[in-house]
Amino acid sequence: MAPPRFRQLVIDAADARRSAEFYRALLSLEYLPGDEPRDGAADPAFIVLLGADGRRLLGFQTVPAFARSTWPSMDVPQQLHLDFAVRDDDELEEHHRRVLELGGTLIEDRLDDSEDPLRVYADLDGHPFCIFVAEQ
């Protein structure tokens, strides 16, 4: 019997559209047909983003009682985090500016770590994510 195949990672959000738009812009993803914003139409409670190859990557669901992560404080734990890699420091700086432009927050800067240089950010709902300088 074959194991189950990965379908997508689903992230709880205060506003699925807002979170989907953040990651769509940051990662150059596309909406699943039918999930794109439409003038005058209510946003669905569940939105999916696709990679360039058309595979489902990220889903976002609106959770009415959503509690923003307070990580590194453990009052509201991170629950999950995403890791992304870039080729070099210049690329990291470009993405750093982009994250901040999109409303993300820098939580921790570990660029001086000789073994694992990275920056930790929070998305619009406080979910931590890391951008590493690492081999692809």
Side-chain angles (χ1 to χ4, degrees):
M1 171 178 6
R5 294 180 321 277
F6 179 81
R7 183 167 169 94
Q8 66 209 2
L9 173 70
V10 178
I11 301 173
D12 288 352
D15 179 329
R17 174 66 65 206
R18 185 182 70 145
S19 291
E21 229 357 77
F22 175 84
Y23 283 102
R24 186 200 61 76
L26 180 65
L27 303 172
S28 297
L29 302 176
E30 298 293 328
Y31 284 107
L32 179 72
D35 283 359
E36 54 278 297
R38 292 184 300 271
D39 289 337
D43 283 330
F46 191 86
I47 297 170
V48 174
L49 295 177
L50 309 174
D53 60 0
R55 287 184 316 141
R56 292 170 172 255
L57 295 179
L58 298 174
F60 301 88
Q61 62 186 5
T62 299
V63 175
F66 181 80
R68 180 183 174 88
S69 171
T70 59
W71 189 89
S73 162
M74 293 307 287
D75 294 335
V76 179
Q78 66 177 329
Q79 298 132 9
L80 70 89
H81 78 265
L82 302 170
D83 287 340
F84 303 105
V86 296
R87 288 178 280 241
D88 56 38
D89 290 340
D90 290 339
E91 198 172 298
L92 180 63
E93 284 305 313
E94 289 175 31
H95 290 291
H96 173 73
R97 284 189 296 277
R98 186 71 176 135
V99 168
L100 299 179
E101 285 172 6
L102 293 170
T105 306
L106 178 66
I107 297 175
E108 186 176 346
D109 190 331
R110 291 189 7 210
L111 289 183
D112 58 352
D113 185 327
S114 61
E115 292 185 29
D116 223 1
L118 67 104
R119 284 188 171 140
V120 182
Y121 299 92
D123 69 14
L124 302 175
D125 286 313
H127 299 296
F129 65 94
C130 300
I131 303 180
F132 292 80
V133 175
E135 293 295 319
Q136 298 294 311

